[in-house]
Amino acid sequence: AVYENGCATGTASTGIAYAMEQKKNAVLDLAQPGGIIRVEADYDNVLDKVSNVKISGKVRFISTEECLSSGVI
């Protein structure tokens, strides 16, 4: 089972939308329930599109025992 405490898809989409609206590269730190996720979106002026998106943040492993005792599984 995978327990997610942030929205990577929403974070990436926000970075893309911001870069497209501003027509420039975007670097945003977005607050999520589990911490900060950074999105970097590269805007291409010639093609008028985002050519690359990268997200990064801290990941924490939760053991099976912790998941069972917390009701996640």
Side-chain angles (χ1 to χ4, degrees), residues 34-38 56-60:
I36 300 296
I37 297 178
R38 172 169 280 199
S56 58
K58 293 185 179 184
V59 176
R60 183 172 69 101

Side-chain angles (χ1 to χ4, degrees), residues 31-61:
Q32 303 286 329
I36 300 296
I37 297 178
R38 172 169 280 199
V39 59
E40 300 175 44
D42 298 332
Y43 178 75
D44 186 321
N45 287 320
V46 175
L47 299 175
D48 188 33
K49 71 175 191 173
V50 172
S51 59
N52 187 48
V53 178
K54 174 182 160 186
I55 60 169
S56 58
K58 293 185 179 184
V59 176
R60 183 172 69 101
F61 175 76

Side-chain angles (χ1 to χ4, degrees), residues 1 3 62-73:
Y3 177 72
I62 301 174
S63 72
T64 303
E65 289 78 20
E66 287 179 359
C67 289
L68 290 171
S69 66
S70 67
V72 173
I73 297 178

Side-chain angles (χ1 to χ4, degrees), residues 6-36:
C7 182
T9 304
T11 299
S13 298
T14 299
I16 292 167
Y18 184 83
M20 289 297 297
E21 182 178 285
Q22 299 296 312
K23 303 228 181 270
K24 65 180 185 177
N25 294 342
V27 178
L28 305 170
D29 292 324
L30 302 176
Q32 303 286 329
I36 300 296

